[in-house]
Amino acid sequence: MQPLPHSVLFCCDHNAVRSPMAEGIMKKFYGTGTYVQSAGVHNDMEIDGFCIAVCQEIDVELARHRSRSFDMMQEWGDDLSSFDLVVALSPASQRRALELTRFFHLDVEYWPIMDPTGLGETRVEKLHHYRQTRDQIIKHLKERWGEPTERA
């Protein structure tokens, strides 16, 4: 277990499922002491409805999330070098984060989180896979930073 960083950026492929989940859950678990954002390699998708649903089950609100890419972050002046830690949740986002951070002294971690999109036929099956993804993220958060410090 390690102390919470001052700032962390979660990233995945589209900033529509895994990284928004990680952002929202981390904020809920550990409060506002850490600046938390998320981004994707692409931002060609809006937040996923199943992602919103399984996070609502644990009282994490994601409906207002707006997807953004690394390129958009740079356009808006959100400097990657200002983050203490970048957590990549997909191989493509890990490659992009390493590429973008090679000029900065920045830690990039890779957490292999399952992409639930396209898995399952029925709503029940799809929700099952999204819950698995959510629970993988929770497991990694707790292993890295301990039990939640904020009250549910």
Side-chain angles (χ1 to χ4, degrees), residues 11-144:
C11 55
C12 64
D13 294 351
H14 302 279
N15 194 221
V17 179
R18 291 170 286 182
S19 55
M21 269 192 201
E23 176 187 350
I25 294 168
M26 181 155 184
K27 286 176 178 175
K28 177 169 178 55
F29 277 16
Y30 305 110
T32 56
T34 297
Y35 178 70
V36 184
Q37 287 294 311
S38 64
V41 176
H42 314 282
N43 70 315
D44 53 351
M45 300 168 70
E46 281 305 312
I47 185 87
D48 186 290
F50 289 108
C51 174
I52 294 170
V54 300
C55 284
Q56 276 178 335
E57 295 173 351
I58 61 167
D59 205 27
V60 171
E61 168 57 48
L62 292 182
R64 291 190 307 268
H65 176 81
R66 294 294 163 252
S67 298
R68 64 190 194 149
S69 66
F70 285 115
D71 293 340
M72 288 171 73
M73 284 181 67
Q74 289 179 313
E75 286 168 24
W76 297 342
D78 214 344
D79 192 354
L80 273 181
S81 65
S82 66
F83 289 95
D84 297 323
L85 175 66
V86 177
V87 179
L89 307 175
S90 70
S93 66
Q94 180 188 27
R95 281 190 302 277
R96 182 82 164 121
L98 289 170
E99 186 181 294
L100 290 169
T101 60
R102 68 179 179 260
F103 303 113
F104 310 120
H105 178 69
L106 196 63
D107 289 329
V108 177
E109 282 185 17
Y110 173 58
W111 296 358
I113 303 295
M114 176 185 82
D115 180 0
T117 58
L119 298 176
E121 297 296 317
T122 66
R123 177 175 171 75
V124 170
E125 289 170 354
K126 287 181 182 297
L127 285 169
H128 169 76
H129 291 294
Y130 278 78
R131 286 183 190 111
Q132 284 182 312
T133 296
R134 176 197 66 200
D135 295 345
Q136 280 182 348
I137 291 167
I138 290 170
K139 180 177 180 276
H140 278 278
L141 287 169
K142 288 180 176 181
E143 284 172 358
R144 184 70 158 77

